[in-house]
Amino acid sequence: MQSIATRKKPSRAHILTAVIIAAVYALVFAAEQLLPASSMLFIVLKKGATYALVAVSMNLLNGFTGIFSLGQAGFMLLGAYTFAIFTIPEESREIVYQYYNGGLIRFALPVIPALVLSGLVAALFAFLVGLPVLKLKSDYLAIATLGFAEIIRAIFQWDKLGAITNGSNMLHQFPSFSSFNIRNAQGEVVVYLSTLVPFVIAGVCIALIVLLINSTYGRALKAIRDDETAAEAMGVNLFHHKQLAFCISSFFAGIGGAMLAMYACTVQAKSFTSAMTYEILLIVVLGGVGSITGSCLSAFLFVACSEWWLRFLDNTYTIGSFQVPLLRNGFRLVVFSVIIMVVVLFFRKGIMGERELLDLLRGRKGKEAAK
């Protein structure tokens, strides 16, 4: 009994992991209070936290279950629209739904219930879509889920649904991350929380995914990924577990879509293109298929490079009468593509491979060392 109790005690690596995560949250909070609110750092952190959650949800399918799905943008769209539709204040609906007489919904939900509802709506659609789609294999499954995302995007722009979705017009006036800032009686912000909040939401959701992966269900999902025939022989219900993983992944993708709506302050179906899914897939591959830590790190690196660090490459520079060649609008994307190719060539399994932060702190190589 004593040995069992001893094994249950948190190890030094677990304690260090908790300290590092707490330090990150403390630094985010401190930076938000000290740096100007217009700093690009906060844009990167907000969008990075959102993309980290969606990337981890996609990794649950691609990395831990072996299901190649490309429908993430569709589930994000469902989550974003659900959140926006049910949180627009009643007094603002006449303005937002000006072409549809104020719309069909005439009430507003608090933010947290709306976030949960966003995930549930995405999970419901995932359940319905998964019934026929999850019987497909490999590329056929990817094409089917990609087609679902494109169909959903077209349906949400249909004028016949305008009383709910506002048609092809954008939704706005719903709560954003800035709504969480604490203000005084004069309306001045005294405590900034607009960057910490997405970190908290994403952190809670990712923690739940980690708990799932480390549970018996998670071990069954990994068994399906490694060998479906062997897993089925061991008594694992393949379709049930695939359906479960698909719905859970879509649930958190829906929450990620709601977070993206809060980040952008507007929602419009045409923004949720297949390119968004490819960006999330790229983040998963760069971080390491099968690594939660890798997905989180690569999400912030991806957003920082694409939105901040390489922006100067889009500007032309002149030294005297000499104009620096190549630097012009769009050159940033060329350099970014080269960087991605270099990472893929030298880190075949991604930045982290299948390792986690806990493995690094333990000094172990993990199951698959990143190369």
Side-chain angles (χ1 to χ4, degrees):
M1 294 295 292
Q2 185 176 359
S3 62
I4 295 176
T6 302
R7 285 199 297 269
K8 288 184 178 180
K9 290 182 179 179
S11 64
R12 181 182 178 185
H14 284 90
I15 295 173
L16 283 174
T17 301
V19 169
I20 290 172
I21 294 174
V24 169
Y25 278 81
L27 286 173
V28 169
F29 177 77
E32 195 169 15
Q33 312 311 313
L34 299 175
L35 298 179
S38 58
S39 173
M40 277 295 297
L41 173 64
F42 301 127
I43 295 176
V44 170
L45 292 177
K46 293 172 188 177
K47 190 173 182 180
T50 302
Y51 270 33
L53 172 58
V54 181
V56 170
S57 72
M58 191 176 199
N59 211 346
L60 176 63
L61 283 180
N62 292 25
F64 292 95
T65 313
I67 299 176
F68 188 33
S69 170
L70 292 177
Q72 223 68 2
F75 297 116
M76 291 175 69
L77 182 150
L78 288 168
Y81 265 87
T82 301
F83 178 84
I85 290 168
F86 285 98
T87 56
I88 296 174
E90 188 174 350
E91 61 272 13
S92 301
R93 291 187 178 271
E94 292 293 338
I95 300 174
V96 177
Y97 290 91
Q98 57 180 322
Y99 301 110
Y100 300 98
N101 298 319
L104 184 64
I105 308 298
R106 293 290 181 170
F107 63 90
L109 292 176
V111 171
I112 300 302
L115 283 172
V116 175
L117 181 61
S118 300
L120 291 175
V121 170
L124 174 62
F125 274 80
F127 176 79
L128 297 175
V129 171
L131 291 175
V133 164
L134 291 179
K135 296 177 182 178
L136 302 174
K137 301 285 186 180
S138 185
D139 298 341
Y140 300 102
L141 174 60
I143 293 171
T145 52
L146 181 62
F148 157 75
E150 292 298 313
I151 291 170
I152 284 292
R153 184 162 63 90
I155 289 175
F156 270 66
Q157 297 180 84
W158 189 27
D159 286 339
K160 298 294 183 180
L161 293 177
I164 299 175
T165 64
N166 207 21
S168 59
N169 305 301
M170 67 173 58
L171 295 173
H172 53 95
Q173 301 292 330
F174 51 83
S176 65
F177 291 137
S178 299
S179 303
F180 291 91
N181 291 331
I182 300 175
R183 304 175 183 272
N184 58 19
Q186 288 73 38
E188 300 172 342
V189 178
V190 292
V191 179
Y192 288 92
L193 297 175
S194 59
T195 306
L196 184 65
V197 166
F199 267 73
V200 172
I201 297 172
V204 170
C205 293
I206 292 173
L208 292 175
I209 294 175
V210 171
L211 290 176
L212 171 68
I213 292 172
N214 292 327
S215 68
T216 54
Y217 279 104
R219 288 189 286 273
L221 297 180
K222 293 176 185 177
I224 294 173
R225 174 198 63 188
D226 296 335
D227 192 328
E228 288 191 7
T229 305
E232 191 172 22
M234 292 293 291
V236 176
N237 188 324
L238 298 182
F239 183 80
H240 170 74
H241 283 81
K242 286 182 178 181
Q243 184 78 293
L244 179 69
F246 195 52
C247 291
I248 292 175
S249 173
S250 302
F251 174 83
F252 289 111
I255 294 179
M259 291 175 62
L260 189 62
M262 296 174 74
Y263 162 79
C265 301
T266 59
V267 173
Q268 199 165 14
K270 68 179 183 180
S271 302
F272 295 86
T273 61
S274 56
M276 181 177 291
T277 296
Y278 299 145
E279 286 183 352
I280 303 301
L281 180 61
L282 178 61
I283 289 171
V284 172
V285 173
L286 290 178
V289 179
S291 172
I292 301 297
T293 305
S295 294
C296 294
L297 288 176
S298 60
F300 288 100
L301 291 174
F302 177 87
V303 174
C305 287
S306 59
E307 300 284 345
W308 187 14
W309 293 340
L310 301 180
R311 280 288 180 185
F312 71 95
L313 296 174
D314 283 347
N315 302 321
T316 57
Y317 291 92
T318 303
I319 303 175
S321 60
F322 174 75
Q323 182 174 343
V324 180
L326 299 179
L327 297 184
R328 65 192 66 184
N329 188 31
F331 186 63
R332 166 177 57 93
L333 298 178
V334 177
V335 175
F336 187 47
S337 301
V338 172
I339 293 173
I340 290 172
M341 287 190 291
V342 170
V343 172
V344 171
L345 286 173
F346 289 94
F347 295 88
R348 298 287 180 89
K349 296 182 181 295
I351 298 172
M352 294 292 294
E354 289 188 6
R355 298 174 299 176
E356 301 292 352
L357 176 60
L358 197 60
D359 297 319
L360 297 180
L361 294 177
R362 285 171 175 167
R364 299 175 180 176
K365 293 184 179 180
K367 293 182 179 179
E368 293 287 337
K371 295 181 181 180

